[in-house]
Amino acid sequence: MDTHILVPLYLALLASSLCFASAGDIVHQDDKSPKRPGCDNNFVLVKVPTWVDGVEDIEYVGVGARFGRTLEAKEKDANKTKLVLADPPDLCQPPKFKLNRDVILVHRGNCSFTTKAKIAELANASAILIINTETELLKMVCEANETDVHIQIPAVMLPQDAGGSLRDYMQNSSQVSVQLYSPERPLVDVAEVFLWLMAVGTILGASYWSAWSAREIAIEQDKLLKDGSDDFTHGEGVPSTGVVNINTTSAILFVVIASCFLVMLYKLMSVWFMDVLVVLFCIGGVEGLQTCLVALLSCFRWFQHPGESFIKLPVVGAISHLTLAVSPFCIVFAVIWAIHRRDSFAWIGQDILGIALIITVLQIVHVPNLKVGTVLLSCAFLYDIFWVFVSKLWLKDSVMIVVARGDKSGEDGIPMLLKIPRMFDPWGGYSIIGFGDIILPGLLVTFALRYDWLTKKNLRAGYFLWAMTAYGLGLLVTYVALNLMDGHGQPALLYIVPFTLGTFLTLGKTRGELKALWTRGEPDSPCPHVQLQSSQSQ
């Protein structure tokens, strides 16, 4: 394997550990409780802007309880109210002082959520804020034996760090005021539309480049065969394709090693480890951007000569003059992104580097037949489900979502994903998709177009159009599931794999071509398109 493709392949492997998730996925269930009278609210995120001694301070995010009065949806309708600290802190007993329609801040534990809320209401509180014992938010539900709950004040849970900050202010004799309101999230944000277009467009572009390259290689080999080249018949003088074909064993190992990387990320996630990932992403992004720019510029007559003339450099070896000219720009671009990666506009540079890397990987790595594609995607399907859902039972966390969010890293997420800010969402955040959710199904889609071109099938009679449509629909269903699940991260391959792989297998079986797709797939050299045509006529 050529050394220049090791970093992109490594990053593709690492990226396969990511799931499709929304940056607003911060709510986790505390307990299961059926809805009943007085305990049938929907769980909603709550904005909690604060003022310390009259000066506007941090805005925190909480989650509303299953019980209690619902909150206003608009900021202008929410009252600015004084916050007081409960005494006793857990409010499992009536407070030692009477409230004047204040919001009371209490600690979680020692009695039920509804007990705390009832005591606060009797003490004339206007709302209750409960500090969680963890940095995440948990949904507050009613007790299993409570059949009829009548609580007329809102109850909101805050994460441990937010509640601790407010408590510290009040213990230092500062006066704190808060507002509580819960703006509604749009059903569909325009960011999701653009992200869908980016994912589909990336696979579309990579497929046509991969198919065009495969056809050019086939034509070149055909010419060598017709010329009767002795070097060609002995396997010499054949143009180097730079392509890596995955076999069944490597497809299984791909997912096994990805699991090891995922666990390593989960265990070692920190500021320094994130810096390592940023450096690796920049190296892969530079390689991908350089490859894409050289290929694009080579299409123009003015750049053909620099692209075909080479210079030999120490360590690097032979490199074209065009590549040499493009490299400084790619390096500077990646360095600027790395320096400004925490800025609000950094997602643009991350997406450019990411798309270039994905296209390069799909150009380099090929699935040679449907058998390998089926094994790879089936393993990835089970892998996604395990690390999103089953890992909660083992490690008490959804490992994939923790890694995707970049918890404990000081970042908004690891860089191996495409992201777009949610433009019309009052909660902000990003819609994101992991590289693996594009690369893995993309390997099958690019295989489909190469097969169609080398067998001279038109769009309707071929497999690419149907595979591309299936991927788009699978990704669309992922968005629907994401919204139906209140923004909880979803493993995109759970929906994409049945659509793409199922469509391919069904279509091949219906057309009677499944055996050829399964065992041979892409034709063998020399002269692949001639061999395929002859095999079909037999």
Side-chain angles (χ1 to χ4, degrees):
M1 185 183 297
D2 295 338
T3 56
H4 76 282
I5 66 172
L6 289 177
V7 170
L9 286 177
Y10 163 76
L11 287 172
L13 177 63
L14 186 62
S16 69
S17 67
L18 301 182
C19 70
F20 185 96
S22 168
D25 178 33
I26 58 175
V27 181
H28 296 266
Q29 182 139 352
D30 183 36
D31 194 8
K32 293 182 179 179
S33 177
K35 291 185 178 182
R36 58 178 74 97
C39 196
D40 54 0
N41 295 342
N42 293 323
F43 293 113
V44 294
L45 293 175
V46 179
K47 284 182 178 283
V48 188
T50 64
W51 290 261
V52 178
D53 294 327
V55 179
E56 189 171 358
D57 200 61
I58 300 173
E59 180 179 272
Y60 300 105
V61 175
V63 61
R66 180 75 85 185
F67 52 85
R69 182 169 61 83
T70 57
L71 293 162
E72 298 289 347
K74 297 180 180 180
E75 183 179 8
K76 64 179 183 180
D77 297 329
N79 295 323
K80 180 179 174 182
T81 310
K82 180 183 176 182
L83 182 68
V84 297
L85 195 60
D87 186 13
D90 58 14
L91 203 66
C92 290
Q93 298 174 357
K96 298 178 180 179
F97 51 85
K98 195 71 173 178
L99 302 176
N100 185 24
R101 301 302 295 168
D102 302 315
V103 177
I104 190 167
L105 183 69
V106 307
H107 286 257
R108 180 185 177 185
N110 299 326
C111 59
S112 69
F113 296 127
T114 51
T115 299
K116 297 175 189 290
K118 288 176 182 177
I119 293 174
E121 184 178 11
L122 291 173
N124 200 34
S126 61
I128 180 172
L129 292 180
I130 300 177
I131 306 174
N132 192 20
T133 54
E134 301 175 10
T135 56
E136 291 185 332
L137 294 171
L138 299 175
K139 297 176 179 177
M140 295 187 292
V141 298
C142 301
E143 295 292 305
N145 57 356
E146 292 179 302
T147 58
D148 197 7
V149 180
H150 297 283
I151 297 173
Q152 301 303 316
I153 62 171
V156 176
M157 173 165 283
L158 289 177
Q160 185 182 43
D161 51 353
S165 297
L166 295 175
R167 179 196 60 215
D168 293 342
Y169 280 132
M170 288 184 286
Q171 287 179 341
N172 291 329
S173 302
S174 294
Q175 183 172 334
V176 179
S177 300
V178 297
Q179 265 186 316
L180 304 176
Y181 66 103
S182 178
E184 296 180 0
R185 305 189 78 157
L187 184 61
V188 178
D189 190 87
V190 69
E192 295 173 347
V193 177
F194 282 117
L195 197 63
W196 185 91
L197 291 172
M198 283 171 57
V200 171
T202 298
I203 291 182
L204 191 65
S207 297
Y208 273 95
W209 186 14
S210 179
W212 179 82
S213 298
R215 187 170 65 177
E216 290 297 305
I217 293 169
I219 292 173
E220 184 67 25
Q221 292 180 351
D222 194 19
K223 287 180 180 178
L224 290 172
L225 182 63
K226 288 180 180 178
D227 291 341
S229 172
D230 292 336
D231 289 340
F232 183 81
T233 57
H234 289 87
E236 302 173 1
V238 180
S240 176
T241 63
V243 169
V244 177
N245 282 312
I246 301 177
N247 56 35
T248 304
T249 303
S250 60
I252 296 173
L253 287 176
F254 188 91
V255 176
V256 172
I257 297 173
S259 296
C260 296
F261 272 116
L262 183 62
V263 174
M264 182 179 70
L265 283 171
Y266 175 73
K267 294 293 185 182
L268 299 180
M269 186 64 69
S270 60
V271 175
W272 71 266
F273 197 73
M274 181 62 70
D275 290 338
V276 173
L277 293 182
V278 168
V279 171
L280 291 173
F281 174 74
C282 286
I283 295 173
V286 167
E287 176 71 23
L289 188 59
Q290 174 184 282
T291 303
C292 292
L293 285 177
V294 169
L296 182 63
L297 293 174
S298 297
C299 297
F300 297 95
R301 184 179 58 185
W302 307 282
F303 297 102
Q304 287 180 355
H305 178 69
E308 295 172 355
S309 57
F310 293 82
I311 183 174
K312 192 171 184 179
L313 297 176
V315 181
V316 179
I319 184 173
S320 71
H321 288 91
L322 182 57
T323 302
L324 196 62
V326 167
S327 295
F329 166 78
C330 299
I331 294 171
V332 170
F333 186 91
V335 170
I336 291 175
W337 171 82
I339 294 172
H340 296 280
R341 68 183 185 274
R342 294 183 180 88
D343 294 343
S344 59
F345 56 83
W347 64 272
I348 300 174
Q350 180 172 324
D351 288 351
I352 291 173
L353 292 171
I355 289 172
L357 176 58
I358 292 170
I359 292 175
T360 300
V361 171
L362 291 177
Q363 169 69 7
I364 293 170
V365 183
H366 285 186
V367 169
N369 53 49
L370 188 55
K371 176 183 177 181
V372 174
T374 300
V375 171
L376 178 64
L377 289 182
S378 297
C379 290
F381 174 79
L382 297 174
Y383 162 89
D384 243 19
I385 294 174
F386 179 85
W387 290 113
V388 173
F389 299 125
V390 181
S391 62
K392 288 183 180 180
L393 306 176
W394 175 29
L395 297 170
K396 298 182 180 179
D397 280 320
S398 176
V399 174
M400 231 183 239
I401 292 177
V402 169
V403 171
R405 287 202 312 250
D407 291 359
K408 300 179 290 184
S409 68
E411 303 277 353
D412 288 332
I414 70 174
M416 289 77 174
L417 46 83
L418 301 183
K419 58 192 292 188
I420 296 182
R422 297 178 65 85
M423 303 173 191
F424 299 104
D425 191 335
W427 296 99
Y430 294 86
S431 289
I432 64 177
I433 184 170
F435 286 0
D437 299 327
I438 302 175
I439 290 174
L440 294 176
L443 290 171
L444 190 66
V445 177
T446 54
F447 162 73
L449 188 58
R450 289 195 304 272
Y451 182 86
D452 289 352
W453 278 26
L454 294 174
T455 55
K456 300 186 182 297
K457 290 179 179 290
N458 58 37
L459 277 178
R460 187 173 180 180
Y463 293 90
F464 171 71
L465 176 63
W466 306 104
M468 192 74 247
T469 302
Y471 176 78
L473 288 174
L475 191 55
L476 183 62
V477 171
T478 306
Y479 281 110
V480 173
L482 189 70
N483 285 287
L484 291 177
M485 301 295 179
D486 297 325
H488 284 278
Q490 293 294 302
L493 295 182
L494 172 63
Y495 309 96
I496 293 173
V497 168
F499 272 86
T500 52
L501 190 58
T503 298
F504 218 126
L505 292 171
T506 302
L507 207 57
K509 180 68 174 178
T510 303
R511 294 174 175 176
E513 299 175 344
L514 185 58
K515 185 176 180 181
L517 287 165
W518 188 265
T519 57
R520 177 174 299 191
E522 294 181 33
D524 302 323
S525 60
C527 197
H529 59 288
V530 173
Q531 283 194 3
L532 251 183
Q533 288 175 335
S534 63
S535 67
Q536 287 179 334
S537 62
Q538 293 176 356

